[in-house]
Amino acid sequence: FLKPVFLNEMVEVCAQPLELGPVKLSVQLTVTADPEGPNRRVALTGIYTFVQLDEQHRPQRINYNILSDLA
């Protein structure tokens, strides 16, 4: 966390893919508080890594084709 976000304040969340591997996906998230106001500031930034698991909790290949259906 870099800066506070106050109650009832608008936030903007942006995600940028960093790594699209066969079983893991890494994205950088940036949260901006008061994005269109006079007090615009980056409140949070971080890199998050997700791994797809099957029913036995083993790594499983990610089907990136379903992501194009969401766009």
Side-chain angles (χ1 to χ4, degrees), residues 62-69:
I62 298 172
N63 180 2
Y64 289 106
N65 293 329
I66 64 169
L67 294 177
S68 63
D69 295 340

Side-chain angles (χ1 to χ4, degrees), residues 16-70:
Q16 176 182 5
L18 297 177
E19 180 183 350
L20 303 174
V23 297
K24 74 177 183 177
L25 165 67
S26 294
V27 295
Q28 180 174 2
L29 293 181
T30 302
V31 175
T32 303
D34 195 22
E36 296 183 11
N39 297 315
R40 178 183 170 88
R41 63 205 176 277
V42 174
L44 174 138
T45 187
I47 296 174
Y48 299 87
T49 302
F50 303 91
V51 177
Q52 181 164 312
L53 302 176
D54 64 13
E55 293 80 18
Q56 288 77 37
H57 304 286
R58 294 179 301 207
Q60 174 179 311
R61 290 188 72 82
I62 298 172
N63 180 2
Y64 289 106
N65 293 329
I66 64 169
L67 294 177
S68 63
D69 295 340
L70 299 174

Side-chain angles (χ1 to χ4, degrees), residues 1-21:
F1 297 98
L2 302 171
K3 303 281 182 171
V5 175
F6 301 107
L7 188 63
N8 295 322
E9 191 168 41
M10 183 72 68
V11 296
E12 174 183 77
V13 180
C14 294
Q16 176 182 5
L18 297 177
E19 180 183 350
L20 303 174

